[in-house]
Structures are given as C-alpha cells and as structure tokens.
Amino acid sequence: MKNNISIDDIDLFLFDFDGVLTNNCVYISEEGTESVRCDRSDGIGFEVLRKLKKLVYIISTETNPVVSVRAKKIKVKTIQGVRDKKEAMDILIDNEKIDKKKVIFIGNDINDFQAMKNCSYSACPSDSHPKIKNIATFILNKNGGEGVVMDLLENVMGLDLTNIVS
C-alpha cells in the first residue's frame, strides 16, 4: 500500500456515496422519507477538485433522491442505479477518453470491490469492509461521512487547501 500520490496523477475521481460520503446509516421517518448524514467539509473538497479542473462522479448502486440532492448541492455528476460499478467505470472512462491509469475509485463495501480492483488507484474510509481495505491503494484516516474527500486531498495527495480555497 502506498502512502501518497500527486493530484497530477489523477484525472478522474469516482466516489461511492453510501459509506464514503455518508456514515453508512440511513434515517427513516415514519412517513418513509430517507435521510443521511454527510460531512460539510467534503463540499469544500469537491470545490477544490472543480477549481483544479478534475472530473468527478458519484457512482451509486441505489437510485435515491438523497444522492441527487447532495450531488446537486456539491455540483458533482452522478450515475445512479448501477448494478456493475466496474462496467459503469469502464464506460465512463471510454466516453470521457480518460487514461485508465489516471483514475481513482473511492469505495467502502463489497459492491465496490471489482471497480476498485480494476483501477490504478483506490481509496477507502477507515471503517470499510475488511476485503475492501485489503485491496485499497490507500486507507484513509477518516470513517465514511467524516470528511473523506478532505482526508484524501490533504493527507494522501498532500494538498495545502488554504492556497486553493478562498
């Protein structure tokens, strides 16, 4: 497992939603409305990626308004209702004409396994499934939903965000 990577090594960032950008819990009201907990600092992380002109997508197995609302707020494209994340990743790489060697997938659970295994780089929150931790290029310091994007940018990619965010 590597300790760090340069931001210049990555052109495409792919993030799972549940368990990466959330704490992997779902809250359900008595009316059946779902909600999740996200970390606001990740919004700053996505702003940094936009300023650096990096391509970013959320890839989610579920089709859920919660994902759509959060993605809209942080200005990130989404692909939802994905059964095979590796296949979706491969199609996206082909459509966007990205070098597969310049892709990172950030996931946390078994349904992220094949996409992560077939990426040049991968990362996972510290509370990820053990099999995901075994294959991840980087195990982040943060749990899912606790600022994973910021952790990736600051601690793995070594960015000083004070020079980028203002």
Side-chain angles (χ1 to χ4, degrees):
M1 182 173 43
K2 291 180 157 194
N3 291 331
N4 57 32
I5 184 175
S6 169
I7 189 77
D8 297 328
D9 292 332
I10 305 297
D11 287 338
L12 174 62
F13 289 77
L14 302 173
F15 290 88
D16 175 40
F17 188 75
D18 291 319
V20 173
L21 301 179
T22 77
N23 64 351
N24 215 19
C25 294
V26 62
Y27 307 96
I28 304 172
S29 73
E30 55 194 36
E31 293 86 21
T33 304
E34 288 188 15
S35 61
V36 296
R37 190 188 95 195
C38 299
D39 193 294
R40 287 188 181 273
S41 70
D42 282 339
I44 296 170
F46 286 119
E47 179 185 342
V48 166
L49 290 172
R50 265 192 316 283
K51 285 184 176 184
L52 296 174
K53 299 186 183 341
K54 298 298 179 176
L55 191 58
V56 180
Y57 279 84
I58 293 171
I59 298 183
S60 181
T61 302
E62 285 193 59
T63 302
N64 192 322
V66 171
V67 178
S68 300
V69 168
R70 182 65 179 150
K72 182 178 179 182
K73 174 141 182 134
I74 59 177
K75 300 174 185 166
V76 172
K77 296 176 185 179
T78 64
I79 303 172
Q80 296 186 59
V82 174
R83 289 283 163 232
D84 183 338
K85 291 184 181 182
K86 180 197 174 298
E87 180 182 8
M89 176 185 73
D90 289 342
I91 291 168
L92 184 60
I93 288 168
D94 191 48
N95 289 345
E96 295 286 350
K97 297 178 180 23
I98 300 286
D99 181 349
K100 193 171 186 175
K101 294 177 184 171
K102 298 194 87 168
V103 176
I104 187 167
F105 192 102
I106 301 90
N108 74 303
D109 216 336
I110 296 301
N111 62 340
D112 302 315
F113 187 89
Q114 291 302 323
M116 291 175 70
K117 194 160 174 69
N118 287 283
C119 250
S120 293
Y121 302 100
S122 61
C124 69
S126 60
D127 61 343
S128 295
H129 190 284
K131 289 185 179 184
I132 295 300
K133 290 167 90 170
N134 283 337
I135 65 163
T137 313
F138 308 102
I139 299 173
L140 302 170
N141 296 321
K142 299 285 186 173
N143 287 339
E146 294 183 356
V148 165
V149 181
M150 294 292 279
D151 188 26
L152 177 69
L153 295 177
E154 292 180 315
N155 297 320
V156 173
M157 298 187 165
L159 294 179
D160 178 358
L161 301 185
T162 58
N163 294 325
I164 301 168
V165 177
S166 49

XYZ file of all heavy atoms in Angstrom, residues 6-76:
562
model
N 0.289 12.111 -6.164
C 0.154 13.504 -6.588
C -1.209 13.728 -7.236
O -1.714 12.854 -7.953
C 1.259 13.847 -7.592
O 1.001 15.086 -8.207
N -1.779 14.881 -7.029
C -3.043 15.258 -7.673
C -2.899 15.196 -9.199
O -3.858 14.888 -9.907
C -3.520 16.653 -7.202
C -4.949 16.954 -7.693
C -2.573 17.758 -7.659
C -6.022 16.285 -6.939
N -1.707 15.426 -9.701
C -1.448 15.385 -11.146
C -1.549 13.978 -11.720
O -1.670 13.821 -12.933
C -0.076 15.979 -11.466
C 0.019 17.449 -11.094
O -1.018 18.150 -11.182
O 1.113 17.897 -10.719
N -1.489 12.962 -10.849
C -1.596 11.575 -11.297
C -3.034 11.152 -11.568
O -3.271 10.058 -12.078
C -0.994 10.625 -10.252
C 0.513 10.774 -10.134
O 1.148 11.165 -11.134
O 1.051 10.512 -9.038
N -4.002 11.996 -11.196
C -5.419 11.631 -11.292
C -6.171 12.642 -12.156
O -6.092 13.848 -11.924
C -6.070 11.562 -9.891
C -5.308 10.601 -8.971
C -7.543 11.168 -9.999
C -5.297 9.149 -9.419
N -6.920 12.128 -13.127
C -7.805 12.962 -13.949
C -9.270 12.722 -13.621
O -10.112 13.579 -13.868
C -7.589 12.674 -15.433
C -6.272 13.237 -15.943
O -5.729 14.175 -15.325
O -5.782 12.724 -16.972
N -9.592 11.521 -13.100
C -10.980 11.155 -12.819
C -11.094 10.590 -11.408
O -10.402 9.635 -11.059
C -11.469 10.126 -13.847
C -12.853 9.530 -13.631
C -13.947 10.597 -13.677
C -13.121 8.436 -14.676
N -11.966 11.198 -10.613
C -12.268 10.761 -9.250
C -13.663 10.160 -9.252
O -14.625 10.829 -9.642
C -12.247 11.947 -8.283
C -10.892 12.508 -8.013
C -10.270 13.328 -8.944
C -10.238 12.236 -6.816
C -9.014 13.866 -8.692
C -8.981 12.773 -6.556
C -8.371 13.587 -7.503
N -13.786 8.912 -8.811
C -15.071 8.227 -8.716
C -15.348 7.901 -7.256
O -14.544 7.227 -6.609
C -15.053 6.946 -9.550
C -14.753 7.125 -11.036
C -14.586 5.764 -11.711
C -15.845 7.927 -11.702
N -16.469 8.390 -6.749
C -16.831 8.192 -5.353
C -18.112 7.379 -5.236
O -19.118 7.696 -5.881
C -17.087 9.539 -4.659
C -15.868 10.372 -4.452
C -15.437 11.250 -5.432
C -15.140 10.281 -3.274
C -14.301 12.029 -5.247
C -14.002 11.050 -3.080
C -13.590 11.928 -4.064
N -18.078 6.347 -4.408
C -19.304 5.712 -3.954
C -19.992 6.726 -3.031
O -19.335 7.649 -2.517
C -18.951 4.420 -3.206
C -20.152 3.746 -2.587
O -21.228 3.716 -3.226
O -20.037 3.249 -1.454
N -21.273 6.583 -2.798
C -21.982 7.525 -1.930
C -22.126 6.974 -0.509
O -21.480 7.452 0.409
C -23.355 7.880 -2.537
C -24.052 8.978 -1.796
C -23.637 10.296 -1.941
C -25.123 8.707 -0.967
C -24.268 11.323 -1.256
C -25.757 9.723 -0.282
C -25.340 11.040 -0.426
N -22.982 5.955 -0.348
C -23.246 5.416 0.993
C -21.991 4.773 1.577
O -21.375 3.915 0.959
C -24.380 4.383 0.943
C -25.720 5.018 0.643
O -26.005 6.091 1.182
O -26.493 4.425 -0.136
N -21.607 5.215 2.744
C -20.433 4.673 3.419
C -19.140 5.373 3.086
O -18.122 5.137 3.718
N -19.162 6.239 2.074
C -17.993 7.047 1.710
C -18.306 8.513 1.991
O -17.657 9.155 2.807
C -17.580 6.838 0.233
C -16.469 7.804 -0.161
C -17.118 5.398 0.021
N -19.336 9.022 1.337
C -19.754 10.400 1.577
C -20.784 10.493 2.699
O -21.164 11.580 3.113
C -20.297 11.024 0.291
C -19.296 11.050 -0.867
C -19.923 11.668 -2.107
C -18.021 11.785 -0.492
N -21.238 9.332 3.189
C -22.128 9.262 4.351
C -21.496 8.335 5.387
O -20.530 7.629 5.100
C -23.525 8.704 4.000
O -23.438 7.274 3.865
C -24.067 9.323 2.725
N -22.113 8.303 6.560
C -21.626 7.408 7.609
C -22.198 6.000 7.481
O -22.092 5.194 8.402
C -21.921 7.980 8.990
C -23.407 8.093 9.281
O -24.247 7.898 8.410
N -23.735 8.420 10.515
N -22.819 5.701 6.332
C -23.371 4.386 6.001
C -24.649 4.062 6.769
O -25.090 2.924 6.793
C -22.339 3.274 6.186
C -22.488 2.175 5.144
O -23.092 2.378 4.096
N -21.949 1.007 5.425
N -25.243 5.074 7.405
C -26.512 4.891 8.091
C -27.612 5.584 7.295
O -27.366 6.548 6.581
C -26.465 5.511 9.490
S -25.323 4.671 10.596
N -28.804 5.077 7.411
C -29.962 5.735 6.811
C -30.957 5.996 7.931
O -31.160 5.168 8.813
C -30.575 4.886 5.667
C -31.080 3.550 6.159
C -31.653 5.640 4.952
N -31.521 7.180 7.908
C -32.539 7.567 8.872
C -33.867 7.580 8.121
O -33.956 8.160 7.038
C -32.233 8.948 9.446
C -30.824 9.043 9.993
C -29.791 9.560 9.220
C -30.519 8.567 11.267
C -28.494 9.618 9.701
C -29.224 8.621 11.761
C -28.206 9.151 10.971
O -26.924 9.199 11.448
N -34.892 6.938 8.675
C -36.180 6.834 8.004
C -37.256 7.399 8.918
O -37.418 6.938 10.057
C -36.497 5.376 7.633
C -35.356 4.799 6.783
C -37.830 5.269 6.907
C -35.464 3.316 6.513
N -37.982 8.392 8.396
C -39.081 8.978 9.164
C -40.274 8.034 9.131
O -40.318 7.097 8.316
C -39.479 10.338 8.583
O -40.166 10.153 7.361
N -41.257 8.300 9.979
C -42.447 7.446 9.989
C -43.247 7.552 8.691
O -44.045 6.679 8.376
C -43.339 7.766 11.189
C -43.752 9.204 11.291
C -44.335 9.550 12.655
O -43.873 9.030 13.669
O -45.257 10.362 12.661
N -42.980 8.608 7.911
C -43.615 8.728 6.595
C -42.826 7.974 5.515
O -43.228 7.930 4.366
C -43.727 10.209 6.176
C -44.666 11.041 7.014
C -43.986 11.601 8.251
O -42.738 11.692 8.284
O -44.707 11.920 9.209
N -41.664 7.440 5.867
C -40.851 6.678 4.926
C -39.794 7.502 4.208
O -39.127 7.005 3.312
N -39.630 8.766 4.610
C -38.626 9.616 3.991
C -37.245 9.259 4.527
O -37.041 9.188 5.732
C -38.924 11.108 4.284
O -40.255 11.405 3.845
C -37.932 12.006 3.578
N -36.315 9.041 3.596
C -34.946 8.711 3.984
C -34.102 9.962 4.090
O -34.270 10.908 3.324
C -34.295 7.789 2.944
C -34.810 6.389 2.945
C -34.006 5.473 2.028
O -32.888 5.839 1.605
O -34.502 4.369 1.749
N -33.165 9.936 5.026
C -32.141 10.971 5.097
C -30.834 10.322 5.533
O -30.828 9.219 6.075
C -32.549 12.110 6.043
O -32.725 11.631 7.356
N -29.729 11.003 5.240
C -28.413 10.501 5.590
C -27.598 11.638 6.175
O -27.971 12.804 6.071
C -27.675 9.910 4.360
C -28.400 8.687 3.821
C -27.497 10.950 3.271
N -26.484 11.297 6.766
C -25.579 12.307 7.307
C -24.337 12.387 6.434
O -23.677 11.387 6.177
C -25.166 11.939 8.735
C -24.418 13.078 9.419
C -23.849 12.653 10.741
N -22.468 12.263 10.450
C -21.705 11.570 11.250
N -22.148 11.135 12.391
N -20.474 11.281 10.926
N -24.026 13.603 5.979
C -22.828 13.871 5.187
C -21.986 14.892 5.936
O -22.477 15.591 6.821
C -23.203 14.441 3.818
S -24.204 13.341 2.811
N -20.727 14.998 5.558
C -19.820 15.962 6.174
C -19.694 17.184 5.268
O -19.360 17.056 4.097
C -18.450 15.305 6.383
C -17.554 16.114 7.278
O -17.156 17.231 6.878
O -17.232 15.625 8.382
N -19.927 18.370 5.813
C -19.866 19.597 5.019
C -18.467 19.845 4.442
O -18.339 20.448 3.381
C -20.289 20.795 5.851
C -21.767 20.837 6.108
C -22.140 22.170 6.763
N -23.548 22.235 7.045
C -24.469 22.657 6.192
N -24.115 23.033 4.986
N -25.732 22.698 6.525
N -17.436 19.376 5.127
C -16.085 19.626 4.614
C -15.856 18.963 3.262
O -15.045 19.433 2.463
C -15.018 19.175 5.622
O -14.971 17.768 5.722
N -16.593 17.892 2.973
C -16.457 17.271 1.663
C -16.880 18.228 0.561
O -16.344 18.182 -0.551
C -17.251 15.964 1.583
C -16.535 14.818 2.286
O -15.304 14.905 2.466
O -17.206 13.837 2.639
N -17.824 19.108 0.847
C -18.226 20.124 -0.125
C -17.051 21.002 -0.522
O -16.884 21.349 -1.697
N -16.215 21.346 0.446
C -15.009 22.125 0.160
C -14.050 21.297 -0.692
O -13.452 21.800 -1.644
C -14.328 22.595 1.460
C -15.247 23.559 2.215
C -12.972 23.245 1.172
C -14.774 23.900 3.621
N -13.927 20.026 -0.367
C -13.067 19.139 -1.159
C -13.505 19.066 -2.608
O -12.678 19.132 -3.527
N -14.805 18.962 -2.838
C -15.303 18.930 -4.217
C -15.100 20.275 -4.905
O -14.836 20.316 -6.106
C -16.769 18.498 -4.249
C -16.948 17.033 -3.986
C -17.675 16.591 -2.892
C -16.388 16.082 -4.826
C -17.836 15.233 -2.646
C -16.539 14.725 -4.596
C -17.269 14.302 -3.492
N -15.191 21.366 -4.164
C -14.909 22.687 -4.728
C -13.458 22.762 -5.206
O -13.165 23.287 -6.282
C -15.171 23.777 -3.683
C -14.885 25.178 -4.165
C -15.046 26.229 -3.080
O -15.699 25.958 -2.057
O -14.489 27.326 -3.254
N -12.551 22.213 -4.405
C -11.133 22.172 -4.778
C -10.951 21.375 -6.072
O -10.255 21.817 -6.987
C -10.276 21.571 -3.636
C -8.879 21.213 -4.118
C -10.225 22.524 -2.458
N -11.582 20.226 -6.166
C -11.455 19.403 -7.370
C -11.993 20.140 -8.601
O -11.418 20.029 -9.688
C -12.164 18.062 -7.181
C -11.474 17.116 -6.184
C -12.349 15.904 -5.901
C -10.102 16.701 -6.682
N -13.077 20.899 -8.439
C -13.595 21.713 -9.547
C -12.586 22.772 -9.959
O -12.321 22.969 -11.150
C -14.905 22.400 -9.142
C -16.137 21.686 -9.540
C -17.403 22.505 -9.386
N -17.538 23.266 -8.163
C -17.877 22.774 -6.973
N -18.111 21.486 -6.854
N -17.982 23.548 -5.926
N -11.998 23.459 -8.969
C -11.015 24.501 -9.273
C -9.792 23.932 -9.965
O -9.160 24.596 -10.786
C -10.603 25.241 -7.997
C -11.657 26.202 -7.509
C -11.180 26.991 -6.315
C -12.230 28.023 -5.919
N -11.772 28.875 -4.835
N -9.448 22.690 -9.645
C -8.306 22.028 -10.275
C -8.690 21.359 -11.595
O -7.864 20.690 -12.210
C -7.698 21.000 -9.313
C -7.099 21.586 -8.036
C -6.670 20.466 -7.091
C -5.929 22.493 -8.351
N -9.950 21.544 -11.989
C -10.461 21.022 -13.265
C -10.370 19.494 -13.363
O -10.022 18.939 -14.417
C -9.789 21.698 -14.441
C -10.028 23.208 -14.468
C -9.474 23.844 -15.703
C -9.603 25.335 -15.783
N -10.520 26.063 -15.008
N -10.674 18.836 -12.249
C -10.710 17.380 -12.227
C -12.130 16.896 -12.484
O -13.098 17.514 -12.047
C -10.221 16.850 -10.868
C -8.781 17.225 -10.551
C -7.804 16.646 -11.551
C -6.368 17.044 -11.240
N -5.414 16.413 -12.132
N -12.260 15.803 -13.192
C -13.548 15.197 -13.467
C -13.941 14.342 -12.266
O -13.135 13.520 -11.800
C -13.443 14.355 -14.739
C -14.725 13.835 -15.356
C -15.676 14.973 -15.697
C -14.392 13.047 -16.617
N -15.168 14.544 -11.773
C -15.624 13.853 -10.569
C -17.036 13.318 -10.791
O -17.899 14.028 -11.308
C -15.633 14.810 -9.349
C -16.104 14.079 -8.094
C -14.268 15.434 -9.124
N -17.252 12.077 -10.381
C -18.574 11.457 -10.424
C -18.836 10.718 -9.120
O -17.916 10.173 -8.505
C -18.660 10.415 -11.544
C -18.915 10.964 -12.910
C -17.858 11.435 -13.687
C -20.199 10.995 -13.448
C -18.079 11.926 -14.967
C -20.422 11.485 -14.731
C -19.365 11.951 -15.479
O -19.583 12.434 -16.745
N -20.101 10.679 -8.743
C -20.585 9.769 -7.708
C -21.231 8.608 -8.452
O -22.068 8.825 -9.336
C -21.618 10.447 -6.786
C -20.948 11.554 -5.965
C -22.284 9.405 -5.871
C -21.932 12.430 -5.194
N -20.834 7.391 -8.109
C -21.441 6.187 -8.691
C -22.130 5.434 -7.561
O -21.479 5.028 -6.598
C -20.387 5.288 -9.372
C -19.724 6.029 -10.535
C -21.029 3.992 -9.842
C -18.728 5.206 -11.317
N -23.443 5.271 -7.676
C -24.224 4.664 -6.598
C -25.073 3.514 -7.113
O -25.666 3.599 -8.197
C -25.131 5.726 -5.957
O -25.869 5.157 -4.892
N -25.134 2.461 -6.339
C -25.982 1.324 -6.660
C -27.448 1.732 -6.597
O -28.248 1.326 -7.431
C -25.714 0.158 -5.680
O -24.330 -0.189 -5.755
C -26.547 -1.062 -6.017
N -27.774 2.531 -5.621
C -29.156 2.972 -5.448
C -29.497 4.127 -6.375
O -28.621 4.888 -6.785
C -29.384 3.460 -4.013
C -29.479 2.365 -3.000
C -30.019 2.871 -1.679
O -31.146 3.399 -1.656
O -29.304 2.742 -0.694
N -30.785 4.244 -6.665
C -31.328 5.453 -7.260
C -32.120 6.109 -6.146
O -33.125 5.562 -5.691
C -32.245 5.130 -8.461
O -31.481 4.398 -9.416
C -32.792 6.396 -9.087
N -31.609 7.229 -5.650
C -32.186 7.808 -4.444
C -32.148 9.326 -4.528
O -31.092 9.899 -4.829
C -31.380 7.308 -3.233
C -32.053 7.598 -1.922
O -32.659 8.641 -1.724
N -31.930 6.657 -1.004
N -33.256 9.976 -4.220
C -33.271 11.436 -4.237
C -32.231 12.060 -3.306
O -31.737 13.152 -3.570
C -34.688 11.804 -3.787
C -35.507 10.584 -3.965
C -34.567 9.410 -3.895
N -31.880 11.366 -2.232
C -30.870 11.883 -1.302
C -29.541 12.079 -2.027
O -28.862 13.096 -1.856
C -30.706 10.940 -0.082
C -29.529 11.330 0.773
C -31.975 10.900 0.745
N -29.168 11.118 -2.864
C -27.929 11.207 -3.638
C -28.012 12.381 -4.605
O -27.084 13.184 -4.708
C -27.648 9.890 -4.397
C -26.377 10.010 -5.230
C -27.545 8.712 -3.432
N -29.136 12.493 -5.282
C -29.319 13.572 -6.260
C -29.243 14.948 -5.619
O -28.594 15.856 -6.149
C -30.673 13.419 -6.964
O -30.740 12.189 -7.636
N -29.899 15.115 -4.479
C -29.920 16.411 -3.798
C -28.523 16.794 -3.324
O -28.071 17.921 -3.521
C -30.930 16.397 -2.619
C -30.765 17.612 -1.726
C -32.348 16.312 -3.149
N -27.811 15.844 -2.723
C -26.458 16.143 -2.244
C -25.525 16.445 -3.421
O -24.731 17.387 -3.375
C -25.905 14.992 -1.400
C -24.528 15.243 -0.820
C -24.533 16.381 0.172
N -23.196 16.595 0.729
C -22.751 17.772 1.136
N -23.527 18.822 1.116
N -21.530 17.890 1.614
N -25.616 15.645 -4.476
C -24.760 15.845 -5.651
C -25.011 17.218 -6.280
O -24.068 17.893 -6.685
C -24.995 14.736 -6.666
N -26.261 17.612 -6.339
C -26.585 18.930 -6.901
C -25.961 20.029 -6.051
O -25.376 20.976 -6.574
C -28.098 19.107 -6.993
C -28.510 20.420 -7.616
C -30.018 20.541 -7.723
C -30.387 21.890 -8.333
N -31.845 22.066 -8.405
N -26.062 19.899 -4.739
C -25.521 20.914 -3.834
C -24.008 21.040 -3.981
O -23.464 22.137 -3.980
C -25.890 20.595 -2.391
C -25.245 21.519 -1.394
C -26.149 21.878 -0.285
C -25.420 22.834 0.633
N -26.183 23.956 1.006
N -23.309 19.910 -4.103
C -21.840 19.945 -4.205
C -21.361 19.991 -5.654
O -20.158 19.934 -5.901
C -21.195 18.755 -3.443
C -21.687 17.414 -3.989
C -21.440 18.889 -1.940
C -21.050 16.194 -3.358
N -22.304 20.068 -6.587
C -22.006 20.220 -8.019
C -21.159 19.079 -8.578
O -20.133 19.284 -9.227
C -21.345 21.563 -8.291
C -22.204 22.742 -7.891
C -21.463 24.038 -8.050
C -22.329 25.182 -7.515
N -21.587 26.404 -7.332
N -21.622 17.851 -8.285
C -20.934 16.653 -8.764
C -21.914 15.836 -9.600
O -23.071 15.661 -9.221
C -20.403 15.816 -7.573
C -19.867 14.475 -8.041
C -19.331 16.574 -6.818
